[in-house]
Amino acid sequence: MSELSASWYLAVSAALFAIGFTGLLVRRNPLIMFMCIELMLNAVNVAFVAFGAGLNDVGGQVAVFFVLVVAATEVVIGLALVVALSRFKTGATADDVSLLKG
């Protein structure tokens, strides 16, 4: 059995990023949009690990750590906004974010 090269992982990463980007452009549900952003961030993580493994460097894994910290922060703030938005209006879309003005 042969090992998979870094190009296979980069192809999977590109496919995941394209799926997330398409979902972000097509869907209007804020929760689905945040899931698509998370999918794109995870695709970038796969690419960082593939580049790090291909170059025999730990820098890719260090970058993944920082991307995961940013993703966790985005999830906390994003879910708080989605919950606040859904309290005002059920079935809210991304266009309804203007309802959250103080």
Side-chain angles (χ1 to χ4, degrees), residues 41-101:
L41 287 173
N42 285 330
V44 170
N45 284 341
V46 171
F48 278 145
V49 170
F51 281 128
L55 298 173
N56 291 327
D57 188 20
V58 210
Q61 294 173 0
V62 172
V64 166
F65 175 74
F66 287 114
V67 171
L68 286 177
V69 168
V70 169
T73 306
E74 179 253 338
V75 165
V76 170
I77 294 171
L79 286 179
L81 288 173
V82 168
V83 167
L85 185 61
S86 65
R87 286 186 182 187
F88 283 119
K89 183 178 178 183
T90 56
T93 65
D95 297 329
D96 297 327
V97 174
S98 64
L99 293 174
L100 296 178
K101 289 182 181 176

Side-chain angles (χ1 to χ4, degrees), residues 7-63:
S7 61
W8 288 100
Y9 291 109
L10 292 176
V12 168
S13 173
L16 285 175
F17 193 87
I19 291 170
F21 187 70
T22 304
L24 185 66
L25 292 178
V26 171
R27 302 299 297 256
R28 299 303 299 163
N29 186 348
L31 189 59
I32 301 295
M33 291 173 75
F34 281 117
M35 288 173 42
C36 290
I37 291 171
E38 289 295 320
L39 186 62
M40 291 189 314
L41 287 173
N42 285 330
V44 170
N45 284 341
V46 171
F48 278 145
V49 170
F51 281 128
L55 298 173
N56 291 327
D57 188 20
V58 210
Q61 294 173 0
V62 172

